[in-house]
Amino acid sequence: MLIALLALFSLLIAYVLHHVLSHQTLLLKQIFSQTIFNTVQLARLVGPLDPYDPLAVPNPIPDSNSASKISEAQALAAQRIDYARSIVDFSYAGPKVELEDRLRLRALANSRLVAAFGINTSLTSSSVSVHKKFRKLASASINKSRADWQKLYGVCMEFLHCEKARYGRTGISLAECVRCLCFVVVLVSQFGVDDKKVDKNLVKQITDEINAQWLKSKEDGEAVKTSDSLNHDLGMLFGNLKTSVAEENGTGKDTSIDPNEALGLIMPQYETLWRVVLLTYVTAYYTQYGKRSLKKRVKDIPSCLGNAATEKEALKLAMEGLRLYPSNNSIYRAATGPEPLKSANVQACHRDFDVWGRDALEFRPERFDNLTPLQEKAYFPFSLGSHKCPAFGGFGNRMVAMLVVSMGRALSPEIGKLNFEDAQLDNHVGIILPTGRDEMENWSWDMVRV
């Protein structure tokens, strides 16, 4: 009997020890896990910036209760912004820089574009007469009525439906698709061509060649030469098209146009559009933004475009896209001293945490409901001063919004799937996208049942 009681007591002690030790082990595991989590969060704040981590920030944000620290951080941010703005508006070169000198400083910084494309425009020439002619043609072509926006939207949807019918089951190359779409829309908008008569295969060749030339010019601006095949294809395209070049009063006259002159007019619109459109479309419809709020914001496109009373909310989609993904990440000017170039980092101003807050890398169109004075100063997607892009003042935002929404409706998440072909991008939700033109080539959209 005594032995039986001892055995029972031993079993009871063993059970209690097992329970206590198990609980302690679980507790230790929880403590260990929490320590690892806290370490990771700390590393995000003090370690190097991980572009694939949406929570990562380059510098710790000062405590909101420390007004002096916040003021100091914003004062430093204001200095960075002032420096960038001084390069963009040419004030770095002196208090009063004449037009010819401004054109020269810009042309020297863009000389690689002359070597790569043979274009002679306001962006690449120091000639005042060339500058004025270019501005006249560019400004006339952007005066669009509400009916014009309806027509351009129809062009977009027709193009995308053809792409979907042709490649939707096997995969649409998004970079190629957006390049061709933007090129065709610019042809219709700038030259009044009939989109149904545009050879889409020729457009693909031309946009591929422009992209290749651009990359070559970035790698070695001195060694790059104009492309004979690009010039040949442009001649073929415009030789088969009836064009209507805009006059200053907004009317048009049918005329033939030199391919090199055409490329000079196309490039500023086309090249500043396609990457913004692609990146904003992917971000808004796939990686960051809420579907319900997005549909509500853009529900009146295209009918609202051109109507200041009804387009305001829709255009914030484009404004936020241009903030996160400006057409030009940096703007360059020739230096007045020994250094070769001056560079204004537009993207850094648009993403500065001390200006835009901890959500600076998040896609939030509603932030434009109420910008602070510092945010307004930090935002200049269309350049500054007398050399602002002609698209400033509404046209650029309308064009981006229309193209993005066209993409979102034709190639929507409800009927297709986006593939990055990149493990880091595919596995991160809410990520800020890479902006290099050669970093988007593998992205595709596949029609699937979802």
Side-chain angles (χ1 to χ4, degrees), residues 118-169:
I119 56 178
N120 185 35
T121 72
S122 174
L123 300 174
T124 61
S125 174
S126 59
S127 166
V128 173
S129 61
V130 169
H131 166 70
K132 289 183 177 179
K133 179 183 178 182
F134 174 82
R135 296 285 296 192
K136 175 182 175 180
L137 288 171
S139 298
S141 69
I142 66 176
N143 295 321
K144 302 296 178 192
S145 67
R146 293 173 66 185
D148 291 328
W149 289 112
Q150 294 271 10
K151 177 184 175 182
L152 287 174
Y153 177 78
V155 170
C156 292
M157 296 305 290
E158 176 67 21
F159 178 93
L160 291 168
H161 284 317
C162 290
E163 288 288 289
K164 194 161 54 175
R166 188 175 180 183
Y167 301 112
R169 298 292 179 183

Side-chain angles (χ1 to χ4, degrees), residues 311-368:
E311 69 178 1
K312 184 177 178 181
E313 290 304 314
L315 294 189
K316 289 174 185 175
L317 176 80
M319 294 164 71
E320 180 70 342
L322 284 161
R323 184 190 69 82
L324 275 179
Y325 309 111
S327 301
N328 298 295
N329 289 342
S330 294
I331 293 176
Y332 299 94
R333 307 288 188 230
T336 55
E339 56 189 318
L341 290 175
K342 289 276 191 181
S343 172
N345 193 330
V346 180
Q347 186 182 83
C349 293
H350 284 193
R351 298 180 178 185
D352 195 315
F353 285 87
D354 293 323
V355 175
W356 302 95
R358 292 188 65 91
D359 63 356
L361 298 184
E362 295 179 18
F363 186 82
R364 294 184 58 249
E366 57 271 19
R367 76 173 72 245
F368 284 89

Side-chain angles (χ1 to χ4, degrees), residues 82-220:
D82 286 340
Y83 174 77
R85 290 175 65 95
S86 74
I87 294 172
V88 176
D89 66 14
F90 298 96
S91 59
Y92 75 94
K96 184 176 172 134
V97 186
E98 297 298 327
L99 174 59
E100 191 170 351
D101 292 325
R102 296 197 302 271
L103 293 175
R104 177 180 56 82
L105 292 170
R106 184 167 66 178
L108 287 170
N110 291 329
S111 59
R112 65 185 179 86
L113 299 181
V114 179
F117 300 104
I119 56 178
N120 185 35
T121 72
S122 174
L123 300 174
T124 61
S125 174
S126 59
S127 166
V128 173
S129 61
V130 169
H131 166 70
K132 289 183 177 179
K133 179 183 178 182
F134 174 82
R135 296 285 296 192
K136 175 182 175 180
L137 288 171
S139 298
S141 69
I142 66 176
N143 295 321
K144 302 296 178 192
S145 67
R146 293 173 66 185
D148 291 328
W149 289 112
Q150 294 271 10
K151 177 184 175 182
L152 287 174
Y153 177 78
V155 170
C156 292
M157 296 305 290
E158 176 67 21
F159 178 93
L160 291 168
H161 284 317
C162 290
E163 288 288 289
K164 194 161 54 175
R166 188 175 180 183
Y167 301 112
R169 298 292 179 183
T170 57
I172 295 175
S173 170
L174 283 176
E176 177 186 300
C177 175
V178 174
R179 282 197 293 264
C180 291
L181 171 64
C182 290
F183 194 90
V184 169
V185 168
V186 170
L187 286 179
V188 176
S189 173
Q190 181 84 51
F191 299 103
V193 304
D194 183 348
D195 62 293
K196 294 179 176 58
K197 295 181 179 179
V198 175
D199 185 334
K200 304 303 191 299
N201 291 324
L202 200 53
V203 167
K204 179 187 178 305
Q205 290 175 210
I206 290 171
T207 54
D208 284 347
E209 288 164 350
I210 290 174
N211 202 50
Q213 283 293 99
W214 197 283
L215 288 169
K216 288 177 185 176
S217 74
K218 296 283 281 188
E219 291 170 4
D220 191 346

